[in-house]
Amino acid sequence: MKTTMTIVASLLLAVALTSADKKPKVMVKEKGTYVVNTTEIAKDVAGYEGPTPLKVYIRKNKIEKIEFLPNNETPRYWQAASKHLQNKWDGKTVKEAKTMQVDGRTGATYSSDAVKENVKRALEYYEKNK
């Protein structure tokens, strides 16, 4: 009986430790490009329907691209905001991007504001942790 309980306890501990590592890493370096995932650092940044995480790809201190991650925004508004903002920061240095005044998409204000705040947090995280 004690052996069975020990085995069960060990399995539960292993599962708990394994699932603790399931959180996405905030920043990874892939082939010379830093990828900042805002899922954890911008949990409180919400569009109209909740968090709007994204990934910011930075190479040689310039933004390569922004990748929008799954969220619960209304697809019509999210598509309008993401299409409008998708390439606004591409090719900009981190310093340039941090000072940009980017206009959001009319009609998708909450989503647009959330994208801009996610980008801002990603850039700040990158500068502090690269």
Side-chain angles (χ1 to χ4, degrees):
M1 184 72 167
K2 279 188 175 183
T3 305
T4 303
M5 290 181 68
T6 303
I7 292 171
V8 169
S10 297
L11 287 172
L12 289 173
L13 179 61
V15 168
L17 291 173
T18 303
S19 61
D21 289 341
K22 297 292 183 191
K23 285 184 179 179
K25 293 189 183 237
V26 174
M27 187 165 67
V28 295
K29 191 171 183 182
E30 300 172 352
K31 299 178 185 176
T33 299
Y34 288 93
V35 182
V36 182
N37 182 327
T38 66
T39 301
E40 292 297 316
I41 61 173
K43 287 179 184 179
D44 62 322
V45 176
Y48 192 73
E49 295 291 333
T52 54
L54 51 82
K55 289 182 181 178
V56 178
Y57 292 75
I58 304 166
R59 182 180 185 86
K60 296 183 180 177
N61 214 39
K62 287 189 175 183
I63 298 173
E64 287 188 324
K65 69 178 181 175
I66 306 294
E67 177 185 340
F68 299 99
L69 300 176
N71 60 64
N72 293 321
E73 294 295 277
T74 305
R76 184 175 107 200
Y77 296 111
W78 182 247
Q79 187 175 29
S82 58
K83 184 177 178 183
H84 177 75
L85 295 168
Q86 180 76 49
N87 305 108
K88 295 291 185 188
W89 296 274
D90 292 2
K92 304 290 185 201
T93 66
V94 170
K95 184 177 179 179
E96 290 170 332
K98 284 179 65 179
T99 61
M100 287 174 60
Q101 297 296 317
V102 177
D103 290 331
R105 175 69 161 88
T106 302
T109 305
Y110 290 108
S111 298
S112 295
D113 288 347
V115 169
K116 293 187 289 184
E117 181 63 23
N118 270 277
V119 170
K120 176 184 170 194
R121 293 205 188 173
L123 298 177
E124 289 170 351
Y125 189 90
Y126 166 77
E127 285 190 318
K128 289 178 186 172
N129 297 284
K130 64 181 173 181

